[in-house]
Amino acid sequence: MLSVLSWNIRQGGGTRISKLLNVLADYRAEIVILSEFKNNESGVNIRTGLLRAGYRFQNVSNAQSRDNSAAIFSKLPCDQLLFSDADPVYSHNVVASKYEAFTVMGMYLPHKKKHILFDFLLDYTLKSQPAILAGDFNSGINGIDQAGKSFWYDDKLKALNKQGYKDAFRHVHGSVKEYSWYSHQGNGYRYDHTYVHESLLPIVTDCFYLHKWRENGLSDHSPMVLRLG
């Protein structure tokens, strides 16, 4: 069994880093993807803590210290990939770790800002080996992943689906209503996703959220876990 845990840790983790590291070490996922990771002192503390927990293979972009970015931490050997040309402004928001059987792409896609990262993903995954795309997409399918229609880029997610990448949560749970982030007004949104190439679906055994971590104040997002076996 292999677990891929993806989590938006909110603004680099702040004063919550010790608690974040404790729950991540206890959970023992083989691969951890962090969104809103920051290349600053907080990021150094996270990298050091995860190294001590056995995550020897760390993929961090060259984002500026003030920028939210994506990072991948792995206990399994992998090649680290960065994409400096993925977007003129937000190239640090997508990173990838390449394993023998598949590539894991971690992401933090900007919220309601113009970017071409979805176009990059559509192009890259068309040419690459089967991949797992996980993290905070800051989007979803309107009317399904939220009650309203305010998501940008839902057409890109539909295009990704047509290209053979399937929503692992929907693959396991169907049309159940479940959300990974809530507004102050109590409106739910499923921003956090894991998309898996259809050739990998036979080994997907589960995909779910750890809502208790959000409810306990560790972040404002629920982590998502993909299990392969």
Side-chain angles (χ1 to χ4, degrees):
M1 187 74 68
L2 184 148
S3 294
V4 180
L5 185 152
S6 54
W7 193 15
N8 181 319
I9 58 173
R10 186 161 61 88
Q11 291 294 319
T15 59
R16 296 164 282 113
I17 287 178
S18 293
K19 293 179 180 179
L20 300 179
L21 290 172
N22 286 340
V23 294
L24 289 171
D26 288 344
Y27 199 83
R28 300 180 182 179
E30 285 76 16
I31 301 168
V32 170
I33 297 164
L34 298 182
S35 301
E36 295 199 24
F37 177 86
K38 288 183 178 288
N39 278 335
N40 55 19
E41 184 177 350
S42 295
V44 171
N45 291 336
I46 288 173
R47 295 186 68 175
T48 301
L50 290 178
L51 181 62
R52 290 171 179 162
Y55 295 90
R56 295 175 51 218
F57 303 92
Q58 304 191 355
N59 190 355
V60 176
S61 75
N62 61 350
Q64 298 296 311
S65 61
R66 65 182 181 276
D67 293 333
N68 288 319
S69 66
I72 304 176
F73 302 87
S74 176
K75 294 182 177 181
L76 308 175
C78 52
D79 294 327
Q80 316 297 349
L81 305 176
L82 300 177
F83 306 103
S84 59
D85 297 326
D87 184 273
V89 179
Y90 302 108
S91 62
H92 53 273
N93 288 40
V94 175
V95 296
S97 295
K98 187 175 181 180
Y99 301 84
E100 184 175 349
F102 51 76
T103 297
V104 173
M105 305 189 77
M107 59 204 62
Y108 171 66
L109 303 186
H111 184 253
K112 292 189 175 180
K113 294 180 180 178
K114 291 183 179 180
H115 63 81
I116 59 171
L117 291 173
F118 274 113
D119 293 322
F120 162 75
L121 292 171
L122 286 164
D123 181 65
Y124 182 82
T125 54
L126 190 64
K127 302 171 183 176
S128 74
Q129 69 181 112
I132 296 167
L133 285 60
D136 182 357
F137 286 60
N138 267 312
S139 187
I141 305 299
N142 285 316
I144 297 175
D145 296 325
Q146 64 156 323
K149 298 181 179 180
S150 64
F151 285 139
W152 290 22
Y153 301 112
D154 72 330
D155 59 322
K156 301 295 186 181
L157 289 174
K158 292 173 182 176
L160 197 62
N161 186 270
K162 290 180 181 179
Q163 198 164 286
Y165 279 83
K166 308 303 179 183
D167 184 332
F169 180 82
R170 294 291 175 213
H171 173 72
V172 174
H173 300 285
S175 59
V176 64
K177 297 294 184 182
E178 198 164 337
Y179 305 114
S180 60
W181 185 89
Y182 286 83
S183 70
H184 293 302
Q185 293 75 31
N187 298 317
Y189 300 85
R190 199 164 78 91
Y191 286 134
D192 304 273
H193 306 279
T194 300
Y195 277 75
V196 176
H197 190 266
E198 57 192 0
S199 66
L200 300 174
L201 288 179
I203 62 171
V204 172
T205 61
D206 208 352
C207 186
F208 55 92
Y209 294 100
L210 299 173
H211 294 301
K212 285 293 183 184
W213 292 19
R214 171 180 54 80
E215 292 165 359
N216 290 338
L218 295 174
S219 178
D220 56 348
H221 286 250
S222 298
M224 172 168 263
V225 177
L226 174 72
R227 285 187 174 163
L228 305 173

